[in-house]
């Protein structure tokens, strides 16, 4: 047996000492690794997707090559870690829509972060404060990137979710498809910008044309509906059923039966429903009254009942405890929307790339915010829609009440996006309690691109 040389001995000793010295650090790193999970890889890239039966798949963009992107699920209070890899040939970023997030993670290029250049990546890490149904999408050229297929659902699970048999996430969006089944690639046209935005001619659910979801009698379903369309306002119905609304824009509401009422979801909105399947056989149709009553998905009842009777237990969700704005003491700001087709400014619209919409007479975000307040201030933004079009106004980083409105029905919800009907005036009220720079913009993405965005600052 050869005797080890002194050098090896020495090396062995040195290595051993180093290993010993490193051991606590290593243990600490291991412990940290257990606490800080590897980020989930989210890759924005080109892919293909079937948009017309019998035709070749269309070229679209998707997160991880699928449309919609993967459903991200995280427990309330747990950290979500996502690494965005940009494999597109233009800059991008991911915005976490509806999450009352730390400002640096809000994903707004040029305001909360640098755009993520092609080939680059960006790490998002945050703790989702509220359970609920949220979503993610780019905030760079969103009028193109979202319309090409970049969006997905983010589900934050309650610590004790209500008991259901199926938790179905239905991501709804529309596409503008050519006769050959390709994606129409004329994005941001002057006409779309000045009118209702880019409305599609094909609505899909989870990327599929009229998909069928198998269900059984007496099953309890939780349906999470998300409108990821660039411009289409969905008016959904589930005829013959009476689902209960349990959350709007991710925030719990006192459960209320819908009794055939339309569920209006403007771009960006979500609702959670509880639906007990009472039918024996047949199909429950999900229809969009906004698109002439088109059936966009079916729940097909088949097989043995899952139990003898429907579940009787309650399913109300625990409210998030968002601070109520003090309306009497609130700082009030006007936000007057003008422009668009059929307006006085119509002469200026429809020409080239210029702005088409104005907020308080200004197109796009200026160097100065719409308002700047101390943290904890109650704010009322009085939105005056002086245009001939509806606008889905979205506030970042906060959920808000709508204590007054002239057109739509008043509802006791916490919204993050509200449809301001044409010629309507409504008040958006919230406590500005999340420090940072936050956007307010129209979620009809062509409108946003053509001037309908502004920002505020919470100090
Ligand atoms: Cu869903 Cu500012 O966006
Ligand atoms: Cu708009």
């Amino acid at each position: 047996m050869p005797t080890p040389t002194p050098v090896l001995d020495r090396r062995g000793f040195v290595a051993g000492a180093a290993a010993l010295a490193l051991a606590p650090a290593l243990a600490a790193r291991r412990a940290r690794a257990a606490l800080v999970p590897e980020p989930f890889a989210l890759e924005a890239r080109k892919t293909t997707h079937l948009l017309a039966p019998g035709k070749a798949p269309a070229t679209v963009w998707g997160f991880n090559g699928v449309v919609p992107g993967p459903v991200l699920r995280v427990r309330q209070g747990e950290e979500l870690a996502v690494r965005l890899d940009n494999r597109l040939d233009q800059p991008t970023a991911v915005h976490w829509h509806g999450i009352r997030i730390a400002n640096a993670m809000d994903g707004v290029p040029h305001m909360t972060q640098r755009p993520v250049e092609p080939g680059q990546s960006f790490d998002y890490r945050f703790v989702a404060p509220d359970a609920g149904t949220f979503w993610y999408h780019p905030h760079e050229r969103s009028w193109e990137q979202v319309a090409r297929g970049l969006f997905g659902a983010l589900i934050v699970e309650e610590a004790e979710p209500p008991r259901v048999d199926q938790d179905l996430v239905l991501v709804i969006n529309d596409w503008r498809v050519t006769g050959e089944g390709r994606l129409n690639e004329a994005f941001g046209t002057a006409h779309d910008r000045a009118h209702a935005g880019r409305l599609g001619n094909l609505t899909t659910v989870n990327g599929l044309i009229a998909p069928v979801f198998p269900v059984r009698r007496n099953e309890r379903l939780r349906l999470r509906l998300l409108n990821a369309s660039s411009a289409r306002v969905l008016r959904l119905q589930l005829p013959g059923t009476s689902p209960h609304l349990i959350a709007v824009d991710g925030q719990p509401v006192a459960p209320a039966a819908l009794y055939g009422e339309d569920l209006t979801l403007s771009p960006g909105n979500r609702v959670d429903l509880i639906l007990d399947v009472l039918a024996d056989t047949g199909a429950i149709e999900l229809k969009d009254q906004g698109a002439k009553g088109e059936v966009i998905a079916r729940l097909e009842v088949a097989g043995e009942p899952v139990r003898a009777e429907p579940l009787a237990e309650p399913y109300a969700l625990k409210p998030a405890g968002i601070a109520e704005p003090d309306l009497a003491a609130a700082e009030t700001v006007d936000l007057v929307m003008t422009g668009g087709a059929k307006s006085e400014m119509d002469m200026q619209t429809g020409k080239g790339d210029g702005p088409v919409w104005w907020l308080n007479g200004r197109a796009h975000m200026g160097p100065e915010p719409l308002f700047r307040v101390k943290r904890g201030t109650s704010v009322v933004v009085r939105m005056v829609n002086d245009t001939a079009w509806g606008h889905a106004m979205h506030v970042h980083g906060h959920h808000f009440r709508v204590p007054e409105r002239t057109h739509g029905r008043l509802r006791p919800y916490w919204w993050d996006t509200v449809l301001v009907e044409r010629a309507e005036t409504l008040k958006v009220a919230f406590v500005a309690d999340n420090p940072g720079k936050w956007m307010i913009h129209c979620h009809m993405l062509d409108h946003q691109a053509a001037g309908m965005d502004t920002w505020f600052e919470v100090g």
Side-chain angles (χ1 to χ4, degrees), residues 176 188 406:
R176 194 176 287 177
T406 57

Side-chain angles (χ1 to χ4, degrees), residues 394-412:
H394 173 45
V395 178
H396 280 215
H398 299 76
H399 275 73
F400 55 79
R401 296 283 199 201
V402 178
E404 277 177 41
R405 62 187 303 173
T406 57
H407 287 50
R409 287 235 211 145
L410 277 178
R411 304 283 192 190

